[in-house]
Amino acid sequence: MFRSRAKEEKAPAAKVGMTDSKQTRDPQAPKGRPTPKRSEAQSQRRSVANTSMTRKDAAKRQRDERRAAMERQRQALAGGDERYLPARDKGPVRKFARDWIDSRFNVAEFFLPMAVVILVLSMVRVGALQSIALLLWLVVIVLIVLDAIVSAVRLRKQLAERFPDQNTKGATRYALMRSLQMRRLRLPKPQVKRGERP
């Protein structure tokens, strides 16, 4: 009756701890391990703070992977490897359009050299040469437009014959944009020679 209450409360808690270890610990019960020293706690906090290094490592690894993918894509553009080409260049329809344009002469691919010649002629202070340069501009633009129309009509016909069941949308525009580039600057590199049938 006159016993201390503290001893009574401690005894059942100790018995419960020994008999059933699967139960969750009461928040008021002792934690069962010593409090860590300050140096240990600080080292644990530092290790948690250094997890940003793993984020840095992940970002670095991601950059390296992206760089490797870009290198593979660049080599594919140079060699024509279909697996690593960009999405706009993939597929048999786009390959045929590229080969068809590369196999023929296009007026548009000579636009840059002709533009340089016309600019030089227009800068000369002779009236006759300047009027010739103006006429040349008009002739070049008309020839490029006519060649583009003829190429588009022929290519659409070829695509309809070769790929009747596939979607050929955008292939003609893709080929015409390719025809505007000089042959040696085209990417992916031309795989067929001029005059060769694709």
Side-chain angles (χ1 to χ4, degrees), residues 87-182:
R88 70 185 168 108
D89 298 315
K90 278 186 179 176
V93 174
R94 297 293 170 109
K95 182 173 180 5
F96 177 77
R98 278 197 307 271
D99 291 346
W100 193 85
I101 284 293
D102 293 338
S103 68
R104 58 191 303 274
F105 282 97
N106 303 291
V107 178
E109 71 182 282
F110 301 110
F111 174 72
L112 280 176
M114 287 189 288
V116 170
V117 170
I118 292 169
L119 273 171
V120 169
L121 285 175
S122 65
M123 290 171 71
V124 175
R125 298 274 182 192
V126 178
L129 286 176
Q130 286 182 339
S131 58
I132 289 171
L134 194 60
L135 187 66
L136 275 173
W137 269 122
L138 185 63
V139 169
V140 166
I141 289 170
V142 168
L143 283 174
I144 288 173
V145 169
L146 287 174
D147 186 48
I149 291 169
V150 170
S151 296
V153 169
R154 285 183 180 172
L155 181 59
R156 276 197 191 117
K157 187 178 174 186
Q158 291 278 327
L159 286 170
E161 287 174 10
R162 289 272 181 116
F163 307 100
D165 300 333
Q166 291 189 26
N167 182 15
T168 59
K169 187 178 180 183
T172 308
R173 208 173 326 125
Y174 170 75
L176 290 177
M177 290 304 292
R178 186 173 175 84
S179 72
L180 288 170
Q181 300 167 333
M182 292 173 73

Side-chain angles (χ1 to χ4, degrees), residues 28-39:
Q28 299 298 321
K31 63 184 173 202
R33 59 181 172 79
T35 303
K37 292 182 181 175
R38 179 178 286 189
S39 59

Side-chain angles (χ1 to χ4, degrees), residues 65-90 185-191:
E65 286 172 4
R66 201 175 322 125
R67 204 172 287 139
M70 291 295 286
E71 180 62 26
R72 277 196 308 269
Q73 195 175 49
R74 191 183 64 74
Q75 288 174 354
L77 286 170
D81 188 0
E82 187 78 19
R83 293 172 298 171
Y84 301 116
L85 285 176
R88 70 185 168 108
D89 298 315
K90 278 186 179 176
L185 299 179
R186 292 175 185 167
L187 287 174
K189 296 279 185 195
Q191 303 293 312

